[in-house]
Each structure stands twice: as structure tokens, then as C-alpha cells.
Amino acid sequence: MKNLILIGMPGAGKSTVGVILAKTLGMDFLDSDLAICRRAGTTLQDILDREGLDAFLDLEESVILDLETQNTVIATGGSAPMRERAMTHLKALGAVIYLQAPYEELHRRISNIKTRGIAFGPGETLLDLYQKRTPVYERWADVTVPWDGERNDLEAAVEGIIAALEERKLC
């Protein structure tokens, strides 16, 4: 099977759902944020603090462009779809699934917004990111799966992804 690539806002549950999805389908799992940390030898927040937003996005793009996997669920960082080359590469690797979470739920979940390693521009808020990124996620998605993490459990999210992929003959 080709890869399944999860995109969406920080706090949408990409890594959490991705691990369960990979186990359910017998696939490998890769978290691109962890790959960035391994390459840099530090945390996402430290990269942002020391190097700045543009350097972080460049590193994220480089890590993604170096991915050559098969049969892997890839959970991307929330900013990955903001780079055209990165997303073109990911689209070539497999089906892109937008894990869509409502803003209110993201706001509730993210209590460590200043230390979580979220790629903010100067003065940007979570709402600014949500409004800016939502159309970008929608543009790249082969499949959009709403999941709020409260009313739907993990298994329901995984089942929704698999059903949507089967419906579109993407798996």
C-alpha cells in the first residue's frame, strides 16, 4: 500500500490517530515533527526560538523532501502544508487525509501554545493560524475526516478514514 499522510492543525490528533490507523492497517508510522527533532538534535520550540520561523519551515520542508517511505502512515506537523514543494512530494508518496478539528476544540486542547513548537508568525494567534491554514489543508486533501476527539473516539476516527479512503478507492 502507498503511504497515508495526515495533515491538519496542531492539536487535531494527527499523531494520536496516526498510530492507531497504522496499527489497524498493519502499516509503519512516522511523525515528521519527531524526524525534525532528530535531525536538529533539539525540540521544535528550541528551533523556532533560536532560528526563527523561516528556518524552521525550511528544515521541515527538507525533512519532508527526504522522506522515501512505503506502507507508512505519516503524521505531519501542522505547518507542513504551507510549503508547496513539501506537499507536492507528500502527494506523490500517497493519499493525503485532512484530520479536521473545530477551532473551539483545538483552543481547548492546546494549553502550552508558547512551548509546543507551533510555527507562528509574529503576533499570530491560534485563530489566525486556523483561518489561514484551513483553506490550504482543504486544497491538499484527498480526503477530509472531521474529528473532534470528544464526541468521536479514536476508533471512530480510524474507521472514518478507512471508509473515506475505500469510498474514493485510495486504499
Side-chain angles (χ1 to χ4, degrees):
M1 177 184 282
K2 282 191 149 194
N3 301 294
L4 300 176
I5 297 99
L6 299 174
I7 63 171
M9 284 291 291
K14 300 175 299 287
S15 296
T16 304
V17 170
V19 168
I20 304 302
L21 181 62
K23 286 181 179 181
T24 301
L25 296 174
M27 298 175 75
D28 293 328
F29 177 76
L30 185 147
D31 185 312
S32 70
D33 280 347
L34 295 178
I36 293 166
C37 292
R38 275 193 304 275
R39 183 174 293 181
T42 190
T43 66
L44 300 176
Q45 190 62 53
D46 191 47
I47 298 164
L48 286 161
D49 290 344
R50 285 188 299 113
E51 307 292 330
L53 179 60
D54 288 337
F56 174 84
L57 294 174
D58 289 345
L59 176 58
E60 180 176 49
E61 180 180 55
S62 174
V63 166
I64 288 171
L65 291 173
D66 287 345
L67 293 178
E68 293 298 334
T69 63
Q70 290 186 3
N71 199 44
T72 301
V73 174
I74 302 168
T76 64
S79 54
M82 304 310 289
R83 290 289 176 103
E84 184 91 15
R85 285 182 358 142
M87 284 309 299
T88 299
H89 180 69
L90 288 170
K91 288 279 280 194
L93 292 177
V96 176
I97 301 145
Y98 170 27
L99 196 56
Q100 183 184 55
Y103 171 75
E104 295 74 19
E105 179 63 17
L106 298 171
H107 186 265
R108 186 189 68 76
R109 284 186 201 171
I110 301 175
S111 60
N112 56 343
I113 204 159
K114 301 274 191 218
T115 59
R116 185 176 169 136
I118 298 174
F120 282 102
E124 281 187 312
T125 66
L126 184 62
L127 182 58
D128 294 332
L129 284 186
Y130 185 83
Q131 291 171 337
K132 179 170 68 173
R133 291 181 181 179
T134 295
V136 177
Y137 298 143
E138 291 169 349
R139 171 185 167 218
W140 288 109
D142 295 308
V143 171
T144 298
V145 177
W147 186 60
D148 65 18
E150 280 291 309
R151 286 174 247 131
N152 304 26
D153 62 21
L154 282 171
E155 290 175 10
V158 169
E159 289 169 7
I161 290 168
I162 294 168
L165 291 169
E166 288 174 349
E167 179 181 311
R168 291 166 182 80
K169 307 213 182 326
L170 296 171
C171 73

